[in-house]
PDB file of all heavy atoms in Angstrom:
ATOM      1  N   ARG A  20       6.955   1.279   1.016  1.00 87.00           N
ATOM      2  CA  ARG A  20       7.831   0.142   0.742  1.00 87.00           C
ATOM      3  C   ARG A  20       7.471  -1.042   1.610  1.00 87.00           C
ATOM      4  O   ARG A  20       7.437  -2.223   1.132  1.00 87.00           O
ATOM      5  CB  ARG A  20       9.282   0.542   0.940  1.00 87.00           C
ATOM      6  CG  ARG A  20       9.892   1.413  -0.146  1.00 87.00           C
ATOM      7  CD  ARG A  20      11.370   1.625   0.165  1.00 87.00           C
ATOM      8  NE  ARG A  20      12.152   0.456   0.286  1.00 87.00           N
ATOM      9  CZ  ARG A  20      13.378   0.363   0.639  1.00 87.00           C
ATOM     10  NH1 ARG A  20      13.995   1.528   1.006  1.00 87.00           N
ATOM     11  NH2 ARG A  20      14.060  -0.734   0.743  1.00 87.00           N
ATOM     12  N   VAL A  21       7.123  -0.780   2.885  1.00 85.00           N
ATOM     13  CA  VAL A  21       6.730  -1.886   3.801  1.00 85.00           C
ATOM     14  C   VAL A  21       5.553  -2.577   3.245  1.00 85.00           C
ATOM     15  O   VAL A  21       5.476  -3.845   3.181  1.00 85.00           O
ATOM     16  CB  VAL A  21       6.524  -1.333   5.172  1.00 85.00           C
ATOM     17  CG1 VAL A  21       5.845  -2.447   6.052  1.00 85.00           C
ATOM     18  CG2 VAL A  21       7.770  -0.902   5.821  1.00 85.00           C
ATOM     19  N   VAL A  22       4.523  -1.836   2.844  1.00 84.00           N
ATOM     20  CA  VAL A  22       3.209  -2.373   2.352  1.00 84.00           C
ATOM     21  C   VAL A  22       3.447  -3.121   1.064  1.00 84.00           C
ATOM     22  O   VAL A  22       3.003  -4.291   0.923  1.00 84.00           O
ATOM     23  CB  VAL A  22       2.159  -1.286   2.227  1.00 84.00           C
ATOM     24  CG1 VAL A  22       0.979  -1.796   1.418  1.00 84.00           C
ATOM     25  CG2 VAL A  22       1.761  -0.798   3.525  1.00 84.00           C
ATOM     26  N   MET A  23       4.151  -2.533   0.094  1.00 86.00           N
ATOM     27  CA  MET A  23       4.278  -3.135  -1.236  1.00 86.00           C
ATOM     28  C   MET A  23       5.030  -4.506  -1.172  1.00 86.00           C
ATOM     29  O   MET A  23       4.755  -5.357  -1.938  1.00 86.00           O
ATOM     30  CB  MET A  23       5.001  -2.192  -2.139  1.00 86.00           C
ATOM     31  CG  MET A  23       4.165  -0.916  -2.445  1.00 86.00           C
ATOM     32  SD  MET A  23       2.649  -1.264  -3.315  1.00 86.00           S
ATOM     33  CE  MET A  23       3.205  -1.537  -4.993  1.00 86.00           C
ATOM     34  N   THR A  24       5.979  -4.570  -0.241  1.00 85.00           N
ATOM     35  CA  THR A  24       6.748  -5.828  -0.101  1.00 85.00           C
ATOM     36  C   THR A  24       5.841  -7.004   0.157  1.00 85.00           C
ATOM     37  O   THR A  24       6.043  -8.098  -0.416  1.00 85.00           O
ATOM     38  CB  THR A  24       7.801  -5.705   1.063  1.00 85.00           C
ATOM     39  OG1 THR A  24       8.600  -4.596   0.806  1.00 85.00           O
ATOM     40  CG2 THR A  24       8.627  -6.951   1.203  1.00 85.00           C
ATOM     41  N   ASP A  25       4.836  -6.813   1.010  1.00 83.00           N
ATOM     42  CA  ASP A  25       3.916  -7.868   1.289  1.00 83.00           C
ATOM     43  C   ASP A  25       2.704  -7.932   0.505  1.00 83.00           C
ATOM     44  O   ASP A  25       2.066  -8.991   0.300  1.00 83.00           O
ATOM     45  CB  ASP A  25       3.524  -7.780   2.791  1.00 83.00           C
ATOM     46  CG  ASP A  25       4.635  -8.128   3.772  1.00 83.00           C
ATOM     47  OD1 ASP A  25       5.370  -9.075   3.490  1.00 83.00           O
ATOM     48  OD2 ASP A  25       4.779  -7.354   4.831  1.00 83.00           O
ATOM     49  N   LEU A  26       2.304  -6.820  -0.084  1.00 83.00           N
ATOM     50  CA  LEU A  26       1.067  -6.707  -0.814  1.00 83.00           C
ATOM     51  C   LEU A  26       1.086  -7.198  -2.186  1.00 83.00           C
ATOM     52  O   LEU A  26       0.132  -7.829  -2.738  1.00 83.00           O
ATOM     53  CB  LEU A  26       0.508  -5.302  -0.727  1.00 83.00           C
ATOM     54  CG  LEU A  26      -0.883  -5.024  -1.328  1.00 83.00           C
ATOM     55  CD1 LEU A  26      -1.905  -5.859  -0.616  1.00 83.00           C
ATOM     56  CD2 LEU A  26      -1.210  -3.551  -1.277  1.00 83.00           C
ATOM     57  N   ILE A  27       2.156  -6.976  -2.910  1.00 84.00           N
ATOM     58  CA  ILE A  27       2.321  -7.339  -4.336  1.00 84.00           C
ATOM     59  C   ILE A  27       2.015  -8.797  -4.590  1.00 84.00           C
ATOM     60  O   ILE A  27       1.248  -9.151  -5.471  1.00 84.00           O
ATOM     61  CB  ILE A  27       3.695  -6.913  -4.858  1.00 84.00           C
ATOM     62  CG1 ILE A  27       3.759  -5.400  -5.006  1.00 84.00           C
ATOM     63  CG2 ILE A  27       3.952  -7.573  -6.270  1.00 84.00           C
ATOM     64  CD1 ILE A  27       2.816  -4.816  -6.032  1.00 84.00           C
ATOM     65  N   PRO A  28       2.632  -9.785  -3.854  1.00 83.00           N
ATOM     66  CA  PRO A  28       2.296 -11.186  -4.092  1.00 83.00           C
ATOM     67  C   PRO A  28       0.832 -11.455  -3.861  1.00 83.00           C
ATOM     68  O   PRO A  28       0.275 -12.271  -4.679  1.00 83.00           O
ATOM     69  CB  PRO A  28       3.150 -11.884  -3.038  1.00 83.00           C
ATOM     70  CG  PRO A  28       4.276 -10.993  -2.690  1.00 83.00           C
ATOM     71  CD  PRO A  28       3.673  -9.586  -2.765  1.00 83.00           C
ATOM     72  N   ILE A  29       0.194 -10.899  -2.901  1.00 82.00           N
ATOM     73  CA  ILE A  29      -1.224 -11.089  -2.644  1.00 82.00           C
ATOM     74  C   ILE A  29      -2.078 -10.576  -3.787  1.00 82.00           C
ATOM     75  O   ILE A  29      -2.942 -11.196  -4.313  1.00 82.00           O
ATOM     76  CB  ILE A  29      -1.592 -10.527  -1.271  1.00 82.00           C
ATOM     77  CG1 ILE A  29      -0.902 -11.240  -0.156  1.00 82.00           C
ATOM     78  CG2 ILE A  29      -3.162 -10.660  -1.075  1.00 82.00           C
ATOM     79  CD1 ILE A  29      -1.133 -10.625   1.171  1.00 82.00           C
ATOM     80  N   ALA A  30      -1.725  -9.350  -4.175  1.00 82.00           N
ATOM     81  CA  ALA A  30      -2.521  -8.696  -5.217  1.00 82.00           C
ATOM     82  C   ALA A  30      -2.337  -9.448  -6.562  1.00 82.00           C
ATOM     83  O   ALA A  30      -3.360  -9.625  -7.318  1.00 82.00           O
ATOM     84  CB  ALA A  30      -2.085  -7.248  -5.370  1.00 82.00           C
ATOM     85  N   ASN A  31      -1.214  -9.934  -6.859  1.00 83.00           N
ATOM     86  CA  ASN A  31      -0.971 -10.738  -8.087  1.00 83.00           C
ATOM     87  C   ASN A  31      -1.754 -12.009  -8.066  1.00 83.00           C
ATOM     88  O   ASN A  31      -2.382 -12.390  -9.082  1.00 83.00           O
ATOM     89  CB  ASN A  31       0.502 -11.041  -8.270  1.00 83.00           C
ATOM     90  CG  ASN A  31       1.259  -9.774  -8.669  1.00 83.00           C
ATOM     91  OD1 ASN A  31       0.723  -8.765  -9.084  1.00 83.00           O
ATOM     92  ND2 ASN A  31       2.596  -9.833  -8.410  1.00 83.00           N
ATOM     93  N   ALA A  32      -1.838 -12.638  -6.913  1.00 82.00           N
ATOM     94  CA  ALA A  32      -2.555 -13.915  -6.834  1.00 82.00           C
ATOM     95  C   ALA A  32      -4.060 -13.715  -6.997  1.00 82.00           C
ATOM     96  O   ALA A  32      -4.790 -14.594  -7.467  1.00 82.00           O
ATOM     97  CB  ALA A  32      -2.270 -14.588  -5.498  1.00 82.00           C
ATOM     98  N   LEU A  33      -4.495 -12.508  -6.539  1.00 82.00           N
ATOM     99  CA  LEU A  33      -6.004 -12.262  -6.591  1.00 82.00           C
ATOM    100  C   LEU A  33      -6.332 -11.470  -7.860  1.00 82.00           C
ATOM    101  O   LEU A  33      -7.487 -11.063  -8.000  1.00 82.00           O
ATOM    102  CB  LEU A  33      -6.424 -11.473  -5.341  1.00 82.00           C
ATOM    103  CG  LEU A  33      -6.198 -12.166  -4.022  1.00 82.00           C
ATOM    104  CD1 LEU A  33      -6.587 -11.241  -2.888  1.00 82.00           C
ATOM    105  CD2 LEU A  33      -7.003 -13.466  -4.002  1.00 82.00           C
ATOM    106  N   HIS A  34      -5.395 -11.115  -8.677  1.00 81.00           N
ATOM    107  CA  HIS A  34      -5.576 -10.359  -9.937  1.00 81.00           C
ATOM    108  C   HIS A  34      -6.172  -9.010  -9.575  1.00 81.00           C
ATOM    109  O   HIS A  34      -7.137  -8.531 -10.259  1.00 81.00           O
ATOM    110  CB  HIS A  34      -6.515 -11.170 -10.906  1.00 81.00           C
ATOM    111  CG  HIS A  34      -6.097 -12.584 -11.193  1.00 81.00           C
ATOM    112  ND1 HIS A  34      -4.847 -12.851 -11.809  1.00 81.00           N
ATOM    113  CD2 HIS A  34      -6.617 -13.776 -10.827  1.00 81.00           C
ATOM    114  CE1 HIS A  34      -4.770 -14.135 -11.930  1.00 81.00           C
ATOM    115  NE2 HIS A  34      -5.787 -14.692 -11.355  1.00 81.00           N
ATOM    116  N   LEU A  35      -5.594  -8.352  -8.593  1.00 82.00           N
ATOM    117  CA  LEU A  35      -6.095  -7.029  -8.205  1.00 82.00           C
ATOM    118  C   LEU A  35      -4.983  -5.996  -8.541  1.00 82.00           C
ATOM    119  O   LEU A  35      -3.789  -6.199  -8.368  1.00 82.00           O
ATOM    120  CB  LEU A  35      -6.318  -6.952  -6.677  1.00 82.00           C
ATOM    121  CG  LEU A  35      -7.427  -7.829  -6.103  1.00 82.00           C
ATOM    122  CD1 LEU A  35      -7.394  -7.718  -4.548  1.00 82.00           C
ATOM    123  CD2 LEU A  35      -8.788  -7.435  -6.670  1.00 82.00           C
ATOM    124  N   GLU A  36      -5.475  -4.793  -9.038  1.00 81.00           N
ATOM    125  CA  GLU A  36      -4.539  -3.762  -9.437  1.00 81.00           C
ATOM    126  C   GLU A  36      -4.183  -3.043  -8.175  1.00 81.00           C
ATOM    127  O   GLU A  36      -5.023  -2.740  -7.320  1.00 81.00           O
ATOM    128  CB  GLU A  36      -5.214  -2.814 -10.386  1.00 81.00           C
ATOM    129  CG  GLU A  36      -4.298  -1.765 -10.918  1.00 81.00           C
ATOM    130  CD  GLU A  36      -4.990  -0.825 -11.900  1.00 81.00           C
ATOM    131  OE1 GLU A  36      -6.216  -0.998 -12.138  1.00 81.00           O
ATOM    132  OE2 GLU A  36      -4.366   0.066 -12.431  1.00 81.00           O
ATOM    133  N   VAL A  37      -2.925  -2.684  -8.011  1.00 82.00           N
ATOM    134  CA  VAL A  37      -2.446  -1.953  -6.848  1.00 82.00           C
ATOM    135  C   VAL A  37      -2.305  -0.466  -7.187  1.00 82.00           C
ATOM    136  O   VAL A  37      -1.437  -0.166  -7.981  1.00 82.00           O
ATOM    137  CB  VAL A  37      -1.080  -2.545  -6.341  1.00 82.00           C
ATOM    138  CG1 VAL A  37      -0.594  -1.723  -5.186  1.00 82.00           C
ATOM    139  CG2 VAL A  37      -1.225  -3.968  -5.983  1.00 82.00           C
ATOM    140  N   LYS A  38      -3.130   0.311  -6.569  1.00 82.00           N
ATOM    141  CA  LYS A  38      -3.017   1.734  -6.719  1.00 82.00           C
ATOM    142  C   LYS A  38      -3.044   2.374  -5.356  1.00 82.00           C
ATOM    143  O   LYS A  38      -4.067   2.561  -4.709  1.00 82.00           O
ATOM    144  CB  LYS A  38      -4.310   2.279  -7.478  1.00 82.00           C
ATOM    145  CG  LYS A  38      -4.159   2.149  -8.953  1.00 82.00           C
ATOM    146  CD  LYS A  38      -5.345   2.845  -9.677  1.00 82.00           C
ATOM    147  CE  LYS A  38      -5.218   2.768 -11.213  1.00 82.00           C
ATOM    148  NZ  LYS A  38      -6.373   3.451 -11.815  1.00 82.00           N
ATOM    149  N   LEU A  39      -1.862   2.709  -4.870  1.00 84.00           N
ATOM    150  CA  LEU A  39      -1.721   3.284  -3.577  1.00 84.00           C
ATOM    151  C   LEU A  39      -0.986   4.626  -3.656  1.00 84.00           C
ATOM    152  O   LEU A  39      -0.018   4.752  -4.437  1.00 84.00           O
ATOM    153  CB  LEU A  39      -0.966   2.320  -2.641  1.00 84.00           C
ATOM    154  CG  LEU A  39      -1.637   1.017  -2.292  1.00 84.00           C
ATOM    155  CD1 LEU A  39      -0.691   0.138  -1.421  1.00 84.00           C
ATOM    156  CD2 LEU A  39      -2.919   1.231  -1.457  1.00 84.00           C
ATOM    157  N   ASP A  40      -1.429   5.533  -2.875  1.00 85.00           N
ATOM    158  CA  ASP A  40      -0.803   6.883  -2.876  1.00 85.00           C
ATOM    159  C   ASP A  40       0.207   6.873  -1.678  1.00 85.00           C
ATOM    160  O   ASP A  40      -0.185   6.781  -0.531  1.00 85.00           O
ATOM    161  CB  ASP A  40      -1.851   7.933  -2.607  1.00 85.00           C
ATOM    162  CG  ASP A  40      -1.246   9.391  -2.648  1.00 85.00           C
ATOM    163  OD1 ASP A  40      -0.029   9.478  -2.533  1.00 85.00           O
ATOM    164  OD2 ASP A  40      -2.008  10.281  -2.746  1.00 85.00           O
ATOM    165  N   PRO A  41       1.532   6.962  -1.964  1.00 86.00           N
ATOM    166  CA  PRO A  41       2.533   6.919  -0.915  1.00 86.00           C
ATOM    167  C   PRO A  41       2.318   8.005   0.222  1.00 86.00           C
ATOM    168  O   PRO A  41       2.442   7.684   1.372  1.00 86.00           O
ATOM    169  CB  PRO A  41       3.843   7.081  -1.644  1.00 86.00           C
ATOM    170  CG  PRO A  41       3.581   6.642  -3.039  1.00 86.00           C
ATOM    171  CD  PRO A  41       2.201   6.991  -3.331  1.00 86.00           C
ATOM    172  N   LYS A  42       1.953   9.186  -0.274  1.00 86.00           N
ATOM    173  CA  LYS A  42       1.762  10.276   0.731  1.00 86.00           C
ATOM    174  C   LYS A  42       0.567  10.010   1.625  1.00 86.00           C
ATOM    175  O   LYS A  42       0.519  10.239   2.790  1.00 86.00           O
ATOM    176  CB  LYS A  42       1.586  11.656  -0.029  1.00 86.00           C
ATOM    177  CG  LYS A  42       2.829  12.130  -0.720  1.00 86.00           C
ATOM    178  CD  LYS A  42       2.600  13.480  -1.321  1.00 86.00           C
ATOM    179  CE  LYS A  42       3.891  13.999  -1.974  1.00 86.00           C
ATOM    180  NZ  LYS A  42       3.653  15.332  -2.686  1.00 86.00           N
ATOM    181  N   GLU A  43      -0.494   9.476   1.003  1.00 85.00           N
ATOM    182  CA  GLU A  43      -1.742   9.149   1.758  1.00 85.00           C
ATOM    183  C   GLU A  43      -1.451   8.055   2.782  1.00 85.00           C
ATOM    184  O   GLU A  43      -1.879   8.051   3.958  1.00 85.00           O
ATOM    185  CB  GLU A  43      -2.842   8.787   0.862  1.00 85.00           C
ATOM    186  CG  GLU A  43      -4.179   8.547   1.565  1.00 85.00           C
ATOM    187  CD  GLU A  43      -5.323   8.177   0.597  1.00 85.00           C
ATOM    188  OE1 GLU A  43      -5.120   8.367  -0.598  1.00 85.00           O
ATOM    189  OE2 GLU A  43      -6.304   7.685   1.103  1.00 85.00           O
ATOM    190  N   LEU A  44      -0.713   6.995   2.342  1.00 85.00           N
ATOM    191  CA  LEU A  44      -0.337   5.903   3.278  1.00 85.00           C
ATOM    192  C   LEU A  44       0.479   6.440   4.445  1.00 85.00           C
ATOM    193  O   LEU A  44       0.230   6.118   5.592  1.00 85.00           O
ATOM    194  CB  LEU A  44       0.467   4.845   2.523  1.00 85.00           C
ATOM    195  CG  LEU A  44      -0.281   3.706   1.789  1.00 85.00           C
ATOM    196  CD1 LEU A  44       0.718   2.883   1.058  1.00 85.00           C
ATOM    197  CD2 LEU A  44      -1.060   2.888   2.834  1.00 85.00           C
ATOM    198  N   GLN A  45       1.461   7.312   4.192  1.00 84.00           N
ATOM    199  CA  GLN A  45       2.328   7.872   5.147  1.00 84.00           C
ATOM    200  C   GLN A  45       1.507   8.619   6.170  1.00 84.00           C
ATOM    201  O   GLN A  45       1.708   8.633   7.387  1.00 84.00           O
ATOM    202  CB  GLN A  45       3.445   8.674   4.591  1.00 84.00           C
ATOM    203  CG  GLN A  45       4.632   8.906   5.434  1.00 84.00           C
ATOM    204  CD  GLN A  45       5.497   7.666   5.539  1.00 84.00           C
ATOM    205  OE1 GLN A  45       5.598   6.783   4.599  1.00 84.00           O
ATOM    206  NE2 GLN A  45       6.085   7.374   6.728  1.00 84.00           N
ATOM    207  N   ARG A  46       0.577   9.507   5.631  1.00 84.00           N
ATOM    208  CA  ARG A  46      -0.269  10.329   6.474  1.00 84.00           C
ATOM    209  C   ARG A  46      -1.216   9.466   7.378  1.00 84.00           C
ATOM    210  O   ARG A  46      -1.378   9.782   8.581  1.00 84.00           O
ATOM    211  CB  ARG A  46      -1.103  11.252   5.587  1.00 84.00           C
ATOM    212  CG  ARG A  46      -1.915  12.288   6.370  1.00 84.00           C
ATOM    213  CD  ARG A  46      -2.805  13.112   5.482  1.00 84.00           C
ATOM    214  NE  ARG A  46      -2.158  13.587   4.339  1.00 84.00           N
ATOM    215  CZ  ARG A  46      -2.390  13.277   3.087  1.00 84.00           C
ATOM    216  NH1 ARG A  46      -3.382  12.386   2.850  1.00 84.00           N
ATOM    217  NH2 ARG A  46      -1.806  13.806   2.061  1.00 84.00           N
ATOM    218  N   HIS A  47      -1.700   8.381   6.823  1.00 83.00           N
ATOM    219  CA  HIS A  47      -2.587   7.517   7.599  1.00 83.00           C
ATOM    220  C   HIS A  47      -1.839   6.895   8.708  1.00 83.00           C
ATOM    221  O   HIS A  47      -2.350   6.758   9.805  1.00 83.00           O
ATOM    222  CB  HIS A  47      -3.238   6.468   6.679  1.00 83.00           C
ATOM    223  CG  HIS A  47      -4.232   5.667   7.331  1.00 83.00           C
ATOM    224  ND1 HIS A  47      -5.630   5.937   7.323  1.00 83.00           N
ATOM    225  CD2 HIS A  47      -4.185   4.501   8.120  1.00 83.00           C
ATOM    226  CE1 HIS A  47      -6.273   5.030   8.000  1.00 83.00           C
ATOM    227  NE2 HIS A  47      -5.449   4.171   8.461  1.00 83.00           N
ATOM    228  N   TYR A  48      -0.636   6.433   8.427  1.00 82.00           N
ATOM    229  CA  TYR A  48       0.131   5.759   9.440  1.00 82.00           C
ATOM    230  C   TYR A  48       0.485   6.766  10.567  1.00 82.00           C
ATOM    231  O   TYR A  48       0.502   6.363  11.814  1.00 82.00           O
ATOM    232  CB  TYR A  48       1.418   5.196   8.899  1.00 82.00           C
ATOM    233  CG  TYR A  48       2.396   4.627   9.873  1.00 82.00           C
ATOM    234  CD1 TYR A  48       2.141   3.424  10.462  1.00 82.00           C
ATOM    235  CD2 TYR A  48       3.545   5.317  10.244  1.00 82.00           C
ATOM    236  CE1 TYR A  48       3.005   2.861  11.453  1.00 82.00           C
ATOM    237  CE2 TYR A  48       4.445   4.760  11.172  1.00 82.00           C
ATOM    238  CZ  TYR A  48       4.154   3.542  11.763  1.00 82.00           C
ATOM    239  OH  TYR A  48       5.022   3.024  12.727  1.00 82.00           O
ATOM    240  N   PHE A  49       0.815   8.024  10.213  1.00 81.00           N
ATOM    241  CA  PHE A  49       1.117   8.988  11.254  1.00 81.00           C
ATOM    242  C   PHE A  49      -0.084   9.368  12.105  1.00 81.00           C
ATOM    243  O   PHE A  49       0.052   9.561  13.299  1.00 81.00           O
ATOM    244  CB  PHE A  49       1.720  10.189  10.576  1.00 81.00           C
ATOM    245  CG  PHE A  49       2.150  11.303  11.506  1.00 81.00           C
ATOM    246  CD1 PHE A  49       3.242  11.224  12.285  1.00 81.00           C
ATOM    247  CD2 PHE A  49       1.335  12.469  11.605  1.00 81.00           C
ATOM    248  CE1 PHE A  49       3.589  12.226  13.196  1.00 81.00           C
ATOM    249  CE2 PHE A  49       1.705  13.488  12.489  1.00 81.00           C
ATOM    250  CZ  PHE A  49       2.862  13.350  13.276  1.00 81.00           C
ATOM    251  N   THR A  50      -1.219   9.589  11.463  1.00 78.00           N
ATOM    252  CA  THR A  50      -2.403  10.053  12.174  1.00 78.00           C
ATOM    253  C   THR A  50      -3.196   9.038  12.819  1.00 78.00           C
ATOM    254  O   THR A  50      -3.765   9.219  13.909  1.00 78.00           O
ATOM    255  CB  THR A  50      -3.254  10.903  11.235  1.00 78.00           C
ATOM    256  OG1 THR A  50      -3.711  10.090  10.167  1.00 78.00           O
ATOM    257  CG2 THR A  50      -2.533  12.127  10.694  1.00 78.00           C
ATOM    258  N   SER A  51      -3.408   7.840  12.149  1.00 76.00           N
ATOM    259  CA  SER A  51      -4.274   6.808  12.709  1.00 76.00           C
ATOM    260  C   SER A  51      -3.680   5.365  12.457  1.00 76.00           C
ATOM    261  O   SER A  51      -4.212   4.616  11.742  1.00 76.00           O
ATOM    262  CB  SER A  51      -5.674   6.853  11.962  1.00 76.00           C
ATOM    263  OG  SER A  51      -6.175   8.164  12.005  1.00 76.00           O
TER     264      SER A  51
END
């Protein structure tokens, strides 16, 4: 949720598709 709040406007402006795995994001934040 934290990432998507800030990332969606940027991705829309750059015409980039957002494909993020919530579990992978959570794991990355916890480990590194």
Side-chain angles (χ1 to χ4, degrees):
R20 284 183 59 189
V21 169
V22 168
M23 294 297 282
T24 302
D25 289 317
L26 184 60
I27 288 295
I29 296 174
N31 290 340
L33 298 178
H34 308 295
L35 296 175
E36 184 180 5
V37 178
K38 281 187 176 181
L39 293 176
D40 184 343
K42 291 183 179 179
E43 185 181 344
L44 271 176
Q45 202 72 35
R46 187 185 311 114
H47 187 92
Y48 175 74
F49 179 74
T50 59
S51 307

